């Protein structure tokens, strides 16, 4: 994690346990964790395998 990212997390006031809980949530369409989705919501797959579940319609909870 970069120093800039660490600073943003610290400044947000969010607790580590809340961040972990957020990224452990899974997409209801493909089942992959949030972290596998890019900033546009498209699933990038997991372990270098593309997602073939039609997850491009991913909607954040």
């Amino acid at each position: 994690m970069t120093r800039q990212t660490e600073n943003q997390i610290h400044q947000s006031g969010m607790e580590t346990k809340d961040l972990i809980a957020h990224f452990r949530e899974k997409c209801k369409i493909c089942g992959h964790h949030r972290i596998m989705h890019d900033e546009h919501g498209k699933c990038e797959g997991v372990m270098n395998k593309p997602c073939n579940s039609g997850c491009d319609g991913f909607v954040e909870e």
Side-chain angles (χ1 to χ4, degrees), residues 1-58:
M1 185 177 335
T2 67
R3 180 52 119 180
Q4 180 183 7
T5 303
E6 287 181 21
N7 287 339
Q8 288 175 327
I9 291 169
H10 180 71
Q11 291 170 2
S12 75
M14 291 188 73
E15 293 186 33
T16 304
K17 66 177 183 174
D18 294 331
L19 283 170
I20 292 170
H22 174 78
F23 284 104
R24 278 194 177 157
E25 279 187 46
K26 294 183 179 184
C27 172
K28 290 178 174 63
I29 299 170
C30 74
H32 291 158
H33 288 95
R34 284 182 190 271
I35 202 142
M36 299 298 171
H37 296 85
D38 67 16
E39 68 272 15
H40 305 292
K42 183 175 180 184
C43 184
E44 296 180 330
V46 62
M47 293 188 288
N48 297 323
K49 296 177 186 173
C51 180
N52 296 318
S53 68
C55 189
D56 298 340
F58 175 73

